[in-house]
Amino acid sequence: MQPRAELVFLDGERSGEVYPLEQGRTVIGRQVGDLIIGDKEVSSIHAIISYERGGWYVMDLGSTNGVFVDEQVKLEARLRNSTALRVGQTNLRFQLSGAPSEEASGPPDLLAGGDNSDLTLPHVPRGGTLTSQQAEEIRDAMDAGMSLPPETDDRGIGPASDSVLDDSPDGLVAGLGDSPPVQVTLEILEGADKGAVRRYTQESVLIGRLNTDLVVRDSDVSRRHSIIEVFDASQVYLRDLNSTNGSFVNGRRVSSVRLRNGDQIRLGRCLVRFTARPLSPS
């Protein structure tokens, strides 16, 4: 049984407000998500809090300014009772009912000793999700007093000019409220669920191996692998979430890319065809 959990706002206009975490996963963002936070330093889609295999976890969804867990920047971290969180300039506290006795005999941390066990980054703003190699380069640069390396993918190649999503492009954010709903269709061409067709009308589609909108049954796919962000039918983006094996669009590894109808997305051994269309008002 999922334990009761909640977020408490610690400052600002919402100080003292309690937000219950009831659905097992909550997306936090400034423009898109379950919990909307009107803080200009919070990204349009910033982070996700989820309950899986007996524990609560927070994961950065490629935000600009990072997720702070007990004052350390984290890509992903296990949440325990009274854990302090900060997104943008908004301070929150994670609370569990019945803690700490329940936690004392709780399950092991899913992150401990795994491929992503070192998920702490230095206290610097980030333009997106970093690979472990990039994080190490930043640590080395800070230790040496050097400037930070430019953002590149894990092959050392910088993103193409049309491949990177600006976190809050004026045209995209301004059009969010005025655009008709969009239906995203993902047709699985290869993989364990070959032939399946999934349709979504929400503003973000989380893809991964566990507790996501599109669950991909493939050991080469990360628990949180990538996310599709929908602004309108012609402005849909795929963003890799620091996955172990990467996200590929039409055979090219990407960190963030605008999707077009017919694009083929490869995640591990799964190949997906993407289409999007506006829905007519009812």
Side-chain angles (χ1 to χ4, degrees):
M1 181 177 177
Q2 176 183 311
R4 250 183 91 192
E6 57 195 18
L7 292 176
V8 181
F9 285 80
L10 301 180
D11 49 24
E13 295 180 355
R14 301 176 70 173
S15 180
E17 181 180 331
V18 176
Y19 183 89
L21 302 170
E22 296 176 341
Q23 304 303 317
R25 56 166 282 227
T26 298
V27 175
I28 301 171
R30 190 183 74 253
Q31 294 285 343
V32 175
D34 304 299
L35 174 57
I36 302 297
I37 299 179
D39 177 337
K40 65 182 181 181
E41 294 192 23
V42 171
S43 296
S44 57
I45 298 179
H46 198 103
I48 182 172
I49 293 177
S50 60
Y51 181 78
E52 49 195 87
R53 298 187 184 180
W56 287 92
Y57 294 83
V58 62
M59 180 180 183
D60 187 341
L61 294 180
S63 67
T64 299
N65 294 312
V67 175
F68 286 74
V69 179
D70 290 331
E71 291 307 314
Q72 289 187 316
V73 181
K74 295 281 187 176
L75 291 178
E76 188 170 8
R78 172 80 178 268
L79 296 176
R80 303 185 185 278
N81 191 46
S82 298
T83 297
L85 293 175
R86 177 157 58 87
V87 292
Q89 293 298 313
T90 302
N91 289 290
L92 304 157
R93 182 174 64 247
F94 173 83
Q95 290 185 170
L96 273 177
S97 68
S101 59
E102 289 180 356
E103 287 197 317
S105 58
D109 191 338
L110 287 180
L111 304 179
D115 292 339
N116 294 321
S117 57
D118 182 9
L119 295 168
T120 302
L121 297 181
H123 291 212
V124 294
R126 295 176 293 119
T129 304
L130 301 178
T131 66
S132 58
Q133 178 182 348
Q134 289 170 321
E136 188 63 34
E137 289 173 355
I138 288 178
R139 292 189 191 97
D140 293 342
M142 293 181 70
D143 291 342
M146 299 161 55
S147 59
L148 298 182
E151 183 180 349
T152 60
D153 66 22
D154 61 355
R155 299 166 298 164
I157 301 174
S161 59
D162 65 344
S163 298
V164 177
L165 168 61
D166 181 350
D167 182 62
S168 55
D170 293 340
L172 299 185
V173 173
L176 260 176
D178 303 326
S179 301
V182 175
Q183 182 181 82
V184 168
T185 300
L186 300 176
E187 179 186 359
I188 302 176
L189 305 178
E190 297 176 9
D193 295 311
K194 180 180 179 180
V197 177
R198 312 287 190 225
R199 294 182 175 89
Y200 306 89
T201 56
Q202 65 259 38
E203 295 169 332
S204 65
V205 179
L206 189 63
I207 304 172
R209 201 176 67 246
L210 182 66
N211 196 23
T212 55
D213 298 307
L214 176 61
V215 176
V216 180
R217 295 182 296 153
D218 184 339
S219 60
D220 289 338
V221 171
S222 299
R223 289 187 305 118
R224 300 284 185 273
H225 197 102
S226 58
I227 189 169
I228 293 174
E229 299 172 286
V230 181
F231 294 91
D232 61 42
S234 63
Q235 301 281 355
V236 182
Y237 293 83
L238 175 79
R239 208 148 37 93
D240 185 76
L241 297 177
N242 196 46
S243 64
T244 301
N245 295 310
S247 301
F248 297 78
V249 175
N250 299 328
R252 176 172 178 255
R253 186 165 186 164
V254 298
S255 56
S256 182
V257 67
R258 182 177 173 181
L259 294 173
R260 293 168 174 80
N261 283 341
D263 279 351
Q264 295 190 2
I265 303 166
R266 180 169 293 282
L267 313 165
R269 288 161 287 185
C270 179
L271 184 66
V272 177
R273 180 187 291 126
F274 161 87
T275 56
R277 66 180 182 87
L279 294 177
S280 301
S282 56

